[in-house]
Amino acid sequence: MRRESTGKRTQSSRKGKYLLALLGIAAASCLSIIILVPDFASSLMIPKSGTGATQAAEKAIPAKPPREALDFQMDDFMHGWVSYTDGIMKTDDGGVSWYAAATSAVQMDQSSQTSKAIVENEDLKWIKGSLPSIQRIAAGAKELEVKKSQFLTENVGWALIAKEGQDSAPLWTTTDGGRSWKQQVTPELVKQMEMESLRLQSIAKEAEYYADSETARKAIQSEWTLMPETAARGDIVLVRHRSPGNVEWQGKTYELQPFASGYFTYLPIPMNTKAGSYPIGDKTLTIKEKKFETQYLQVTKQMESMKQDTKTIQADQKKIDLARSKSEPEFLFSSPFIQPIEGILTTPYGYTRYVNGKLDSSHMAIDLAAKTGTPIKATNDGIVALAESLYLTGNSIYIDHGMNLFSQYAHLSELKVKTGDHVKQGDIIGLVGTTGFSTGPHLHFTFWAHNMQANPNLFFNTKPFNWFQPAP
């Protein structure tokens, strides 16, 4: 039993040795393959350095040269193109992103079209300011030579750098007149360009109100502008300032209201203002002497007694003051004012009036006599602030023309509008009559600025912006 067991163990030991030997041979074979095959593959597939085959392969795959921008053009703040040796790239977002010209069509929004029209308008070139000419720009600690620059305004411009391959951001951009430049257009730069576009549009909007482009330029580029610079008692002056603030005048404070590219207020000239020179900002307002005629009226005792009903008169005055205390914060008109009717002038503006031999008041309006029922036209665009029957002035209308300027129509036989209505110049708003304190059919017409009456004759066939007469 022990011999058989010993024999079996001897046979198992021999088999184990054979298996180990076979495994060793297999491992050596694999190692030789790993070592030899790369050399073998290399000898078959890749020529040695310096051979003609290597040179041919290098010529077959040439190195790509840097892409060079040749020219560019910005049509407005958002749209433009850059040409390369191998094509054209365009942008619709101010240079944030660029695309191949053939892959998309440029969609220009209304704001961009307006800005482009302003930039290209020969009469409005002054709006752009003095356009810089750039030869070099500072980029950190170094300066870059400029191949081409373009400014749309004195603030916003672009530069193409010479000898510099530019793929993702081909242009450098400035929004501060060239004091600083950015190669990558950021959302902040886009916002500044949009603000510049709005600035152009606001100047162009205001320029339309003046008599011509040159007059607009002189008014808008001035620190202060008076329209007009010479006035008389009972007149009105439109003041423009470049910045917000107030104007102190005849013991009252008038706030400058923003409109378009400036800040405005009307200054009424009280009847007790003395002739002389008055400083308004860096300008001088000259008030000239003016005399007014005297008028004497005879009315019935019953009509004369109407003015004794102070309670009713005061109640009406509260309605009127409330209506004139709320005005749109913009000019609601753009065209010249017209005369509401073609009547006979019976009482001019400013007359000192005596009623039944007693001093009554200064007549701060014009009276135009006409047949009862004659249509009355709105002197200009505006909003009806009040349309109501009042004790002294009868059927009355007040139209707000914005910026605390109102026109008044009194003694009407019929009202054709109601409070809150929007009216256009020439709209029929009522009919001539003789209601209230009136001696016959006529239209009592005047203007009010900051609750003070102003001479209506200043407005007919013109407008306050046309009162500005720049020095030659």
Side-chain angles (χ1 to χ4, degrees), residues 37 111 167 202 235 277 283 285 290 295 317 327 330 348 377 466:
V37 166
S111 176
D167 290 315
S202 68
D235 287 355
S277 299
K283 293 291 190 292
L285 175 60
K290 185 175 183 178
Q295 183 186 47
Q317 193 60 50
S327 180
E330 62 178 320
K377 300 177 182 179
N466 291 351

Side-chain angles (χ1 to χ4, degrees), residues 378-400:
T379 184
N380 216 328
D381 299 355
I383 301 172
V384 178
L386 184 67
E388 193 171 324
S389 178
L390 302 174
Y391 181 63
L392 285 181
T393 56
N395 291 323
S396 303
I397 296 172
Y398 289 86
I399 297 178
D400 175 23

Side-chain angles (χ1 to χ4, degrees), residues 47 76 105 123 161 163 192 194 254 259 305 406 422 429 466:
D76 55 46
D123 291 337
I161 305 304
K163 301 178 181 178
Q192 291 172 6
E194 290 173 346
Y254 297 91
F259 177 78
S305 65
F406 295 81
H422 290 246
I429 58 174
N466 291 351

Side-chain angles (χ1 to χ4, degrees), residues 232-268:
R233 294 182 296 133
D235 287 355
I236 182 176
V237 174
L238 179 60
V239 178
R240 181 194 188 275
H241 187 33
R242 187 178 295 171
S243 306
N246 300 305
V247 177
E248 301 295 331
W249 172 248
Q250 298 295 297
K252 293 185 178 181
T253 300
Y254 297 91
E255 182 182 0
L256 292 159
Q257 298 289 330
F259 177 78
S261 61
Y263 297 82
F264 297 83
T265 190
Y266 288 107
L267 294 185

Side-chain angles (χ1 to χ4, degrees), residues 417-435:
V417 292
K418 62 183 182 300
T419 300
D421 284 352
H422 290 246
V423 296
K424 293 291 185 181
Q425 180 200 81
D427 285 352
I428 304 303
I429 58 174
L431 306 177
V432 169
T434 184
T435 56

Side-chain angles (χ1 to χ4, degrees), residues 270-428:
M271 291 296 282
N272 60 357
T273 305
K274 294 181 179 180
S277 299
Y278 298 84
I280 304 292
D282 62 2
K283 293 291 190 292
T284 299
L285 175 60
T286 301
I287 303 300
K288 60 185 180 180
E289 186 61 51
K290 185 175 183 178
K291 294 182 178 180
F292 297 97
E293 300 294 332
T294 301
Q295 183 186 47
Y296 296 90
L297 289 180
Q298 291 293 324
V299 300
T300 64
K301 291 294 183 179
Q302 181 181 1
M303 184 176 293
E304 185 180 9
S305 65
M306 287 182 65
K307 293 198 173 184
Q308 306 303 315
D309 190 351
T310 56
K311 184 177 180 180
T312 303
I313 293 172
Q314 289 174 358
D316 280 352
Q317 193 60 50
K318 287 183 179 179
K319 295 179 183 178
I320 297 169
D321 290 342
L322 179 61
R324 293 199 303 247
S325 69
K326 302 173 184 177
S327 180
E328 291 297 307
E330 62 178 320
F331 296 100
L332 298 179
F333 61 88
S334 58
S335 57
F337 289 76
I338 63 172
Q339 189 168 307
I341 64 170
E342 295 298 330
I344 299 172
L345 179 63
T346 56
T347 308
Y349 178 83
Y351 266 36
T352 300
R353 176 175 281 178
Y354 286 80
V355 178
N356 291 348
K358 299 176 183 179
L359 177 63
D360 184 69
S361 62
S362 293
H363 188 256
M364 307 294 286
I366 59 173
D367 284 346
L368 297 169
K371 292 182 179 179
T372 298
T374 300
I376 299 171
K377 300 177 182 179
T379 184
N380 216 328
D381 299 355
I383 301 172
V384 178
L386 184 67
E388 193 171 324
S389 178
L390 302 174
Y391 181 63
L392 285 181
T393 56
N395 291 323
S396 303
I397 296 172
Y398 289 86
I399 297 178
D400 175 23
H401 301 289
M403 306 296 274
N404 291 293
L405 178 70
F406 295 81
S407 56
Q408 178 192 358
Y409 314 74
H411 306 301
L412 281 61
S413 62
E414 186 177 341
L415 300 173
K416 293 292 187 180
V417 292
K418 62 183 182 300
T419 300
D421 284 352
H422 290 246
V423 296
K424 293 291 185 181
Q425 180 200 81
D427 285 352
I428 304 303

Side-chain angles (χ1 to χ4, degrees), residues 110-123:
Q110 185 62 44
S111 176
S112 294
Q113 290 177 346
T114 301
S115 298
K116 183 178 180 181
I118 293 171
V119 169
E120 293 179 348
N121 190 325
E122 290 295 321
D123 291 337

